[in-house]
């Protein structure tokens, strides 16, 4: 009877609502703001300032924390304040660290040398990658497996909105108001999205007892014993090896072609994000009709064709 009641509580906890989806959208929006500033706006701004393409290409090194975040991901599930809750602990910590980092970047830029700029960039990148772990964990816990496609759609919507604001919005502000105003606005927007953290649900044991939860502590060793994990890592590696260098060089190329900052922002973060929103909604619908593997293969071929066309 006790177990049955826990199961019912778990079902209630995982019930999907418009509000719960909105929370996921805002969380990913908060996470995407600084990410797409680095991904879209910063390479464009640096090229506009005459920075050498080789240095701009080195910005890809700021994504190193994203490549290795799996190393500390298990500890995000193990270490937290019981008073705040597993996800709230890390979401608050990382969000405050991101706001501080963006404010620091606003008042330094290159005034204190390249090393200070890179250190602040690594600070922001590391905490954004850590926040991504916590948000992904919350999204999995907040919804039942049959609703994961909607959680994925909410994720893509949040990232698309973050791309619009962190990319196009920052480029527009930089063009008309300068570096400091653009970064302060980005920091304030990141701070505002922190409000969503106070609405997340922190039921730590919705799927079982405390003893069961303790017995299934996250472990990298156990994870790498699963063949599907190795295949997933290979897939992600192939994806990122293409995506990161291409995105890092695309905006500087447009600058060299005499595109204005507002035009680049419109193309990359408005039309691009709009396409992302459409794709997210389409994927949520198509996953009712076909398997995720089939959809992934179709998307991969389409993506390959677009790179060939662009080349």
């Amino acid at each position: 009877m006790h177990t049955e009641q826990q199961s019912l509580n778990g079902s209630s906890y995982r019930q999907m609502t418009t509000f719960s989806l909105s929370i996921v959208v805002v969380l990913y929006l908060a996470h995407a703001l600084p990410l797409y500033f680095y991904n879209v706006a910063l390479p464009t701004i640096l090229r506009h300032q005459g920075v050498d393409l080789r240095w701009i290409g080195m910005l890809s090194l700021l994504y190193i924390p994203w490549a290795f975040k799996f190393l500390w991901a298990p500890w995000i599930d193990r270490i937290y304040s019981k008073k705040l809750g597993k996800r709230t602990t890390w979401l608050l910590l990382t969000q405050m660290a991101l706001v501080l980092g963006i404010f620091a970047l606003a008042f330094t830029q290159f005034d204190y040398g390249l090393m200070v700029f890179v250190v602040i960039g690594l600070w922001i990148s590391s905490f954004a990658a850590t926040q991504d772990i916590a948000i992904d964990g919350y999204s999995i816990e907040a919804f039942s497996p049959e609703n994961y496609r909607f959680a994925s759609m909410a994720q893509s919507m949040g990232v698309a909105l973050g791309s619009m604001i962190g990319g196009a919005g920052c480029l527009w502000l930089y063009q008309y108001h300068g570096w400091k105003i653009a970064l302060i606005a980005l920091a304030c927007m990141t701070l505002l999205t922190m409000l969503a953290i106070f609405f997340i649900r922190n039921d730590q044991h919705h799927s079982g007892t405390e003893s069961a939860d303790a017995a299934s502590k996250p472990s990298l060793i156990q994870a790498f014993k699963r063949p599907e994990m190795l295949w997933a890592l290979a897939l992600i590696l192939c994806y990122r090896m293409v995506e990161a260098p291409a995105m890092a060089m695309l905006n500087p190329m447009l600058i060299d072609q005499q595109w204005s900052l507002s035009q680049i922002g419109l193309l990359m973060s408005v039309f691009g994000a709009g396409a992302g929103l459409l794709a997210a909604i389409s994927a949520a619908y198509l996953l009712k009709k076909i398997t995720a593997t089939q959809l992934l293969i179709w998307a991969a071929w389409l993506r390959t064709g677009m790179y060939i066309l662009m080349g």
Side-chain angles (χ1 to χ4, degrees), residues 77-255:
D77 280 342
R78 294 186 182 187
I79 302 173
Y80 58 90
S81 166
K82 286 183 169 35
K83 184 176 180 180
L84 290 175
K86 184 192 296 186
R87 302 308 172 196
T88 302
T89 298
W90 286 101
L91 289 173
L92 276 176
L93 174 65
T94 53
Q95 195 75 342
M96 288 188 291
L98 286 174
V99 171
L100 288 174
I102 297 170
F103 271 120
L105 201 62
F107 290 96
T108 56
Q109 196 183 8
F110 290 110
D111 295 347
Y112 298 91
L114 184 62
M115 184 56 67
V116 173
F117 182 86
V118 170
V119 168
I120 296 174
L122 282 173
W123 168 282
I124 293 173
S125 181
S126 298
F127 279 104
T130 303
Q131 186 181 67
D132 188 53
I133 298 169
I135 300 175
D136 287 346
Y138 171 73
S139 298
I140 291 173
E141 292 172 352
F143 302 101
S144 55
E146 60 268 21
N147 288 324
Y148 282 169
R149 58 195 178 97
F150 294 108
S152 180
M153 180 186 72
Q155 173 190 9
S156 298
M157 291 175 68
V159 169
L161 291 172
S163 172
M164 290 181 183
I165 299 171
C170 283
L171 279 176
W172 183 85
L173 284 172
Y174 170 79
Q175 182 171 6
Y176 294 103
H177 302 284
W179 171 271
K180 188 175 293 185
I181 295 296
L183 268 292
I184 291 175
L186 180 65
C188 291
M189 181 62 70
T190 305
L191 186 63
L192 283 174
T193 54
M194 187 186 294
L195 295 174
I197 298 172
F198 299 102
F199 292 96
I200 72 171
R201 298 168 293 188
N202 270 295
D203 186 346
Q204 303 300 330
H205 309 293
H206 58 270
S207 59
T209 64
E210 291 192 23
S211 58
D213 188 63
S216 59
K217 284 185 178 179
S219 167
L220 285 177
I221 295 176
Q222 293 299 321
F224 282 114
K225 287 182 178 178
R226 299 168 58 188
E228 64 269 27
M229 177 66 76
L230 300 178
W231 282 111
L233 286 174
L235 175 66
I236 293 168
L237 180 63
C238 291
Y239 179 88
R240 293 305 301 169
M241 284 180 67
V242 174
E243 192 73 8
M247 291 304 297
M249 290 291 100
L250 184 56
N251 288 353
M253 181 196 75
L254 296 177
I255 285 288

Side-chain angles (χ1 to χ4, degrees), residues 40-41 44-45 48 163-164 167-176 251 254-255 258-272:
V40 175
T44 311
I45 291 171
H48 185 260
S163 172
M164 290 181 183
C170 283
L171 279 176
W172 183 85
L173 284 172
Y174 170 79
Q175 182 171 6
Y176 294 103
N251 288 353
L254 296 177
I255 285 288
Q258 307 303 313
W259 284 49
S260 69
L261 295 183
S262 56
Q263 287 174 327
I264 294 173
L266 187 65
L267 173 68
M268 298 298 295
S269 292
V270 177
F271 289 118

Side-chain angles (χ1 to χ4, degrees), residues 18-30 135 138-139 142-143 150-156 158-159 196 200:
T18 302
F19 182 74
S20 62
L21 282 175
S22 300
I23 292 298
V24 174
V25 170
V26 176
L27 288 175
Y28 278 105
L29 165 62
I135 300 175
Y138 171 73
S139 298
F143 302 101
F150 294 108
S152 180
M153 180 186 72
Q155 173 190 9
S156 298
V159 169
I200 72 171

